[in-house]
């Protein structure tokens, strides 16, 4: 029988699945830490060149130097450059055409940060761009991890990749705290980025493959809540720990506690069935049924092992990413979804990593941005059941319009600009939650993992570009927000060309996608789909 039918028998979201989601959700807090910690570790305190100290202050800034009104010269005429905002993370410094080096070295204010990577390695002025590049390289690690660990998970299973990712993340995360120079720091962060993709991608997949269709959406949003909680919690941790190395250690060392997952994290029975490990899958299903209070006998589960079905399972493994664009309708839907992944992550991290634009305390701003995540993810629970397509379109439009409107607000109306930025963050966060679910329902079963993997790659490409977008402020102060406004609006328009998937059975083959009659006969074919043998990963979200 179909695995979703098995879940109906044993309970689609019983005690077994709830316990599983506890194990899946806990790492999400630390994933949020690693994703956003550069807001604090890469912050740029007010600074001045020691050679510019006024007479009588040779002993250092403790003898009365005013970091907010520093005399002399710095990056941009030293009168403006030394007033760099505390909240710039990473900094965007306009470089003059003339030399801006500081022969005497830099002195940084310690009023807010005891140390950051900027203060330790003097990433200001001519070296300021290194901070942006470092953030982009970290995001590139997420892209590489999505490709590498997505393929490995299909071959070796979700559980082993999650365990490996958590272990490597803890080891290299702690290693970052002891990096001897900026280049080793970037390399170690790159590896951490790879493991973030490994964990977040396969944790979602594992949870979804064990969850019944009716509870799948709610379970996915619950996981998002824990990421949002990590978003908020990071503000408090960073407020208490002002030294970047100690902060990095604090968010990484607890990762070793996940060692006990070796004994509690189950494999995916759906993956085992798709890979013809039927006996092991049956044992797991019996265990889940027993924990859920719905014990089964052998006759309750039919694991099809006929030559015809074995041949079908082998055929499933022949599909590649090329099949995503081989046929007209599949190509159109794939390209649109890839763009939606790209633009959601581009704007999400473009706003999240530049919280200094609020002009408020960096810790308070971080907490506000985290709080916005909660209602944004909650509202999708009420809109998705009505329409996936309209929900995706509406939230993209809200996020894009809000970002675009900020460029028309005068600088002296900072409160209005702050509200609009928060509305933009709200819309993009909700849209990002939806694209996970929507993509899993649009891609057919035979290439769903490939589609999600490619979507994740496009998303990570958006993450790589996001820190670089702010360099456009050298051209025009409003250029980044124009990009963050127009791109979602284009995505909203493209969403109209995607099919509606709410309350419809999922397509299993590319022929289902290309068939004009598939959606109109969905209800009639749903019963037939349940009578088929297990298929590989019918529902997967990243």
């Amino acid at each position: 029988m179909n695995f979703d039918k098995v879940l109906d028998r044993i309970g689609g979201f019983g005690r077994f699945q709830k316990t599983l989601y506890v194990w899946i959700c806990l790492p999400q807090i630390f994933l949020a830490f690693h994703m956003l910690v550069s807001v604090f570790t890469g912050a740029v305190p007010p600074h001045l060149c020691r050679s510019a100290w006024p007479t009588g202050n040779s002993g250092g800034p403790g003898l009365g130097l005013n970091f907010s009104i520093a005399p002399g010269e710095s990056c941009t005429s030293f009168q403006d450059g030394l007033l760099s905002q505390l909240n710039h993370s990473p900094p965007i410094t306009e470089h003059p055409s003339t030399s801006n080096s500081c022969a005497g070295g830099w002195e940084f204010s310690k009023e807010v940060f005891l140390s950051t990577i900027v203060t330790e390695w003097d990433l200001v002025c001519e070296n300021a761009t290194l901070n942006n590049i470092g953030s982009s390289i970290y995001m590139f690690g997420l892209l590489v991890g999505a490709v590498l660990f997505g393929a490995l998970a299909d071959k070796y299973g979700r559980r082993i990749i999650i365990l490996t990712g958590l272990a490597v993340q803890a080891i290299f995360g702690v290693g970052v705290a002891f990096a001897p120079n900026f280049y080793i720091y970037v390399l170690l962060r790159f590896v951490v980025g790879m493991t973030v993709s490994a964990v977040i991608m396969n944790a979602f997949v594992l949870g979804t493959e064990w969850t019944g269709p009716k509870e799948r959406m709610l379970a996915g949003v619950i996981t998002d809540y824990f990421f949002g909680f990590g978003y908020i919690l990071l503000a408090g941790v960073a407020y208490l720990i002002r030294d970047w190395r100690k902060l990095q250690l604090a968010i990484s060392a607890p990762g070793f506690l996940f060692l006990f997952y070796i004994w509690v994290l189950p494999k995916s029975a759906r993956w085992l069935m798709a890979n013809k490990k039927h006996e092991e899958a049956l044992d797991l299903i019996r265990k889940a049924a027993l924990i859920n209070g719905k014990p089964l006998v052998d006759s309750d589960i039919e694991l099809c092992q006929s030559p015809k079905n074995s041949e079908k399972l082998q055929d499933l493994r022949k599909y590649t990413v090329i099949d995503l664009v081989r046929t007209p309708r599949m190509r159109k839907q794939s390209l649109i979804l890839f763009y939606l992944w790209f633009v959601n992550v581009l704007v999400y991290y473009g706003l999240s990593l530049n919280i200094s634009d609020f002009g408020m305390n960096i810790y308070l701003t971080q907490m506000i941005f985290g709080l916005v995540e909660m209602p944004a993810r909650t509202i999708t629970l009420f809109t998705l059941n009505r329409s996936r397509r309209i929900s995706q379109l509406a939230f993209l439009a809200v996020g894009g319009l809000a970002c675009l409107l900020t460029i028309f607000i005068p600088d002296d109306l900072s409160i209005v600009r702050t509200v609009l930025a928060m509305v933009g963050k709200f819309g993009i966060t909700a849209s990002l939650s939806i694209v996970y679910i929507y993509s899993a329902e649009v891609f057919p079963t035979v290439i769903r993992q490939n589609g999600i993997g490619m979507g994740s790659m496009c998303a990570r490409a958006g993450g790589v570009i996001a820190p670089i977008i702010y360099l456009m402020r050298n051209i025009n102060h409003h250029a980044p927000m124009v990009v963050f406004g127009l791109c979602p609006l284009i995505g909203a328009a493209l969403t109209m060309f995607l099919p509606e998937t709410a309350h419809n059975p999922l397509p299993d083959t590319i022929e289902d996608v290309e068939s004009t009659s598939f959606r109109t006969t969905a209800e009639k074919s749903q019963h037939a789909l349940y009578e088929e043998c297990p298929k590989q990963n019918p529902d997967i979200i990243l």
Side-chain angles (χ1 to χ4, degrees):
M1 63 175 65
N2 179 274
F3 192 76
D4 283 342
K5 194 67 176 178
V6 174
L7 290 175
D8 285 341
R9 297 274 188 91
I10 68 174
F13 201 65
R15 182 181 174 187
F16 176 85
Q17 286 87 353
K18 291 174 183 176
T19 303
L20 172 62
Y21 265 88
V22 171
W23 308 139
I24 289 175
C25 288
L26 287 177
Q28 301 296 321
I29 298 173
F30 294 91
L31 297 181
F33 286 173
H34 287 292
M35 289 296 297
L36 299 164
V37 72
S38 63
V39 170
F40 303 100
T41 60
V44 187
H47 52 280
L48 54 81
C49 182
R50 293 190 182 97
S51 62
W53 289 355
T55 304
N57 281 284
S58 58
L63 297 178
L65 274 180
N66 187 344
F67 279 97
S68 65
I69 307 178
E73 57 187 297
S74 185
C75 300
T76 53
S77 73
F78 260 50
Q79 191 76 14
D80 298 326
L82 298 182
L83 299 179
S84 62
Q85 295 284 334
L86 263 176
N87 298 337
H88 276 247
S89 176
I92 303 296
T93 306
E94 297 182 3
H95 293 239
S97 58
T98 59
S99 175
N100 52 27
S101 60
C102 174
W106 296 97
E107 191 71 27
F108 295 86
S109 169
K110 296 187 179 183
E111 182 179 355
V112 175
F113 300 103
L114 294 179
S115 74
T116 68
I117 64 170
V118 174
T119 67
E120 182 157 340
W121 294 311
D122 290 344
L123 302 182
V124 294
C125 295
E126 66 270 18
N127 294 326
T129 306
L130 292 176
N131 208 346
N132 298 79
I133 294 174
S135 296
S136 289
I137 291 175
Y138 170 79
M139 290 293 184
F140 185 66
L142 272 76
L143 190 157
V144 174
V147 177
L148 175 62
F149 291 110
L152 291 176
D154 280 343
K155 185 174 182 179
Y156 298 106
R158 312 348 178 164
R159 178 180 179 272
I160 186 64
I161 299 301
I162 293 173
L163 294 175
T164 301
L166 288 172
V168 175
Q169 184 178 111
I171 294 170
F172 280 77
V174 170
V176 171
F178 297 96
N181 56 61
F182 177 73
Y183 301 101
I184 298 298
Y185 165 85
V186 170
L187 177 62
L188 294 174
R189 283 272 293 167
F190 173 83
V191 177
V192 171
M194 291 176 60
T195 65
V196 168
S197 276
V199 176
I200 197 169
M201 178 171 60
N202 289 289
F204 268 117
V205 170
L206 179 62
T208 305
E209 289 179 343
W210 270 112
T211 306
K214 295 180 181 179
E215 299 86 3
R216 199 165 287 144
M217 182 181 65
L218 174 62
V221 174
I222 290 174
T223 309
D224 289 338
Y225 279 145
F226 277 79
F227 186 91
F229 178 67
Y231 204 131
I232 299 170
L233 187 60
L234 178 61
V237 175
Y239 179 82
L240 295 174
I241 305 175
R242 307 295 182 96
D243 179 275
W244 83 267
R245 291 186 182 274
K246 293 178 181 178
L247 176 60
Q248 179 66 36
L249 194 60
I251 67 169
S252 301
F256 289 106
L257 296 176
F258 291 119
L259 178 65
F260 79 94
Y261 274 28
I262 295 174
W263 295 281
V264 300
L265 193 68
K267 294 182 179 179
S268 168
R270 193 187 297 257
W271 178 86
L272 290 170
M273 292 168 70
N275 286 271
K276 297 190 293 184
K277 298 181 179 182
H278 295 153
E279 291 301 322
E280 189 175 358
L282 184 55
D283 289 340
L284 272 174
I285 291 170
R286 286 195 183 113
K287 178 181 177 182
L290 187 63
I291 293 175
N292 286 345
K294 297 182 179 181
L296 302 178
V297 295
D298 290 347
S299 59
D300 288 330
I301 302 176
E302 300 173 3
L303 294 175
C304 301
Q305 298 179 353
S306 66
K308 180 179 178 181
N309 288 316
S310 298
E311 181 180 350
K312 189 170 186 180
L313 285 172
Q314 292 174 359
D315 290 340
L316 288 176
R317 288 189 282 271
K318 294 181 180 179
Y319 287 91
T320 66
V321 293
I322 302 299
D323 293 291
L324 292 167
V325 293
R326 191 184 299 278
T327 55
R329 185 169 295 181
M330 189 74 257
R331 178 168 56 248
K332 179 186 71 174
Q333 294 179 7
S334 295
L335 293 177
I336 292 174
L337 285 171
F338 294 160
Y339 178 79
L340 295 185
W341 280 83
F342 170 83
V343 73
N344 273 287
V345 173
L346 172 73
V347 180
Y348 181 88
Y349 286 110
L351 295 176
S352 297
L353 296 178
N354 198 64
I355 62 175
S356 59
D357 275 4
F358 271 86
M360 299 190 302
N361 179 278
I362 191 171
Y363 303 104
L364 178 61
T365 306
Q366 174 77 10
M367 186 180 70
I368 291 174
F369 262 70
L371 290 172
V372 167
E373 298 252 330
M374 300 305 184
R377 299 187 190 279
T378 301
I379 196 172
T380 60
L381 293 174
F382 302 97
T383 63
L384 279 175
N385 278 331
R386 295 181 178 272
S387 172
R388 310 290 206 250
R389 180 170 58 187
I390 299 302
S391 296
Q392 185 79 75
L393 185 155
F395 287 117
L396 276 171
V398 168
L401 283 173
C403 290
L404 201 58
L405 287 174
T406 60
I407 70 175
F408 300 105
I409 306 301
D411 291 339
D412 56 342
L413 296 178
S414 59
I415 295 179
V416 178
R417 296 185 65 178
T418 297
V419 171
L420 285 174
M422 291 179 63
V423 173
K425 179 67 161 49
F426 175 90
I428 290 300
T429 299
S431 175
L432 184 58
S433 294
I434 293 170
V435 78
Y436 286 122
I437 299 169
Y438 200 10
S439 296
E441 295 176 340
V442 171
F443 290 121
T445 298
V446 293
I447 53 173
R448 183 165 294 125
Q449 184 66 50
N450 286 324
I452 295 298
M454 286 298 297
S456 180
M457 283 182 60
C458 294
R460 300 316 172 194
V464 171
I465 295 173
I468 305 300
I469 289 293
Y470 277 94
L471 293 175
M472 296 175 63
R473 281 197 285 189
N474 292 332
I475 302 173
N476 184 282
H477 179 69
H478 297 300
M481 295 306 290
V482 171
V483 173
F484 296 149
L486 290 179
C487 288
L489 292 179
I490 294 172
L494 292 174
T495 301
M496 292 188 292
F497 297 97
L498 291 175
E500 178 57 69
T501 60
H503 310 297
N504 285 326
L506 305 183
D508 283 320
T509 66
I510 296 176
E511 288 72 22
D512 289 340
V513 175
E514 296 298 322
S515 173
T516 57
S517 61
F518 175 74
R519 294 300 174 185
T520 58
T521 59
E523 294 300 326
K524 293 181 180 180
S525 63
Q526 188 169 17
H527 177 72
L529 290 173
Y530 280 144
E531 296 302 322
E532 296 179 3
C533 292
K535 297 183 175 59
Q536 184 178 13
N537 307 337
D539 296 282
I540 298 176
I541 58 175
L542 172 58

